Amino acid sequence: MASEDDEETTGDAPETARPEAAKAEQAVDPKIAAAVAAAEAAGAQNGESVRIDSWIWAVRLVKTRSLGATACKGGHVRVNGQNVKPSHTLRIGDEVRLRQENRERIVIVKRLIRKRVGAPVAAQCFVDNSPPPPPREAVAPAGIRDRGTGRPTKRDRRELERLRGLMSGGAGRPHGQ
């Protein structure tokens, strides 16, 4: 019986260490957890490397791998403060700065993956330290007409011209011509 008690106590020790990990796993959606497992299987194994252009495509920072390579060649991608070529190899913990569309993305590499994955899984492969995007400018909608009302009448067109003239700061077309 002593051997059974020993087995129970040895079995309990790992379980007491596991509740924190089990709670963390329960907090993650099971679908995401399965996708993460698939991404890890598709990821780089020990000793293998991942190219920067391939990684930024895989974690969905750019739409295509060739756009990632073009961004690297154009000097828009920096790893640990230095411009890199598309063939630069990444390591876990590297800081990647990607400049695109008047915005700079700053990410820290958490996991190396080679294949493109879904957005929830991709978000777990890096820590995003980017500043928030600038607010979008509010643009007044163009003159919207109800559906089925047909073309504007001459009176409607004159009102639109008058409004456009006021909005653009000009007087529009001079009268009498």
Side-chain angles (χ1 to χ4, degrees), residues 4 17 23-24 33 37 66 82 84 86 91 98 117-118 125 151 162 170 176:
E4 290 177 357
K23 288 178 187 173
S66 61
Q82 295 188 349
V84 293
R91 291 185 299 250
L98 173 66
V117 293
C125 294
R151 294 181 59 180
R162 186 177 52 81

Side-chain angles (χ1 to χ4, degrees), residues 55-57 59-63 96 98 100 105 107 126:
W55 187 82
I56 62 176
W57 165 74
V59 297
R60 298 177 168 266
L61 294 176
V62 293
K63 288 186 178 184
V96 177
L98 173 66
Q100 62 186 144
R105 299 287 307 266
V107 297
F126 60 87

Side-chain angles (χ1 to χ4, degrees), residues 13-37:
E15 289 178 14
T16 57
R18 283 189 179 176
E20 295 171 4
K23 288 178 187 173
E25 288 178 19
Q26 289 174 355
V28 177
D29 185 18
K31 291 180 182 178
I32 294 174
V36 168

Side-chain angles (χ1 to χ4, degrees), residues 11-150:
D12 288 343
E15 289 178 14
T16 57
R18 283 189 179 176
E20 295 171 4
K23 288 178 187 173
E25 288 178 19
Q26 289 174 355
V28 177
D29 185 18
K31 291 180 182 178
I32 294 174
V36 168
E40 286 177 351
Q45 304 299 322
N46 291 339
E48 292 184 25
S49 59
V50 176
R51 292 170 50 117
I52 181 69
D53 60 343
S54 178
W55 187 82
I56 62 176
W57 165 74
V59 297
R60 298 177 168 266
L61 294 176
V62 293
K63 288 186 178 184
T64 65
R65 193 198 58 77
S66 61
L67 280 177
T70 304
C72 291
K73 290 176 187 172
H76 299 289
V77 179
R78 299 171 71 91
V79 176
N80 297 328
Q82 295 188 349
N83 285 342
V84 293
K85 294 181 179 180
S87 62
H88 180 82
T89 57
L90 274 182
R91 291 185 299 250
I92 294 176
D94 283 349
E95 179 190 59
V96 177
R97 290 176 177 256
L98 173 66
R99 203 171 54 235
Q100 62 186 144
E101 299 175 6
N102 301 327
R103 182 174 179 215
E104 185 172 35
R105 299 287 307 266
I106 304 168
V107 297
I108 307 293
V109 179
K110 276 178 36 178
R111 182 178 293 138
L112 296 176
I113 58 172
R114 184 171 283 123
K115 293 184 179 178
R116 192 165 174 99
V117 293
V121 179
Q124 295 180 356
C125 294
F126 60 87
V127 177
D128 195 355
N129 293 334
S130 305
R136 295 185 182 209
E137 295 179 14
V139 178
I144 300 173
R145 296 180 50 83
D146 292 332
R147 191 172 185 98
T149 56

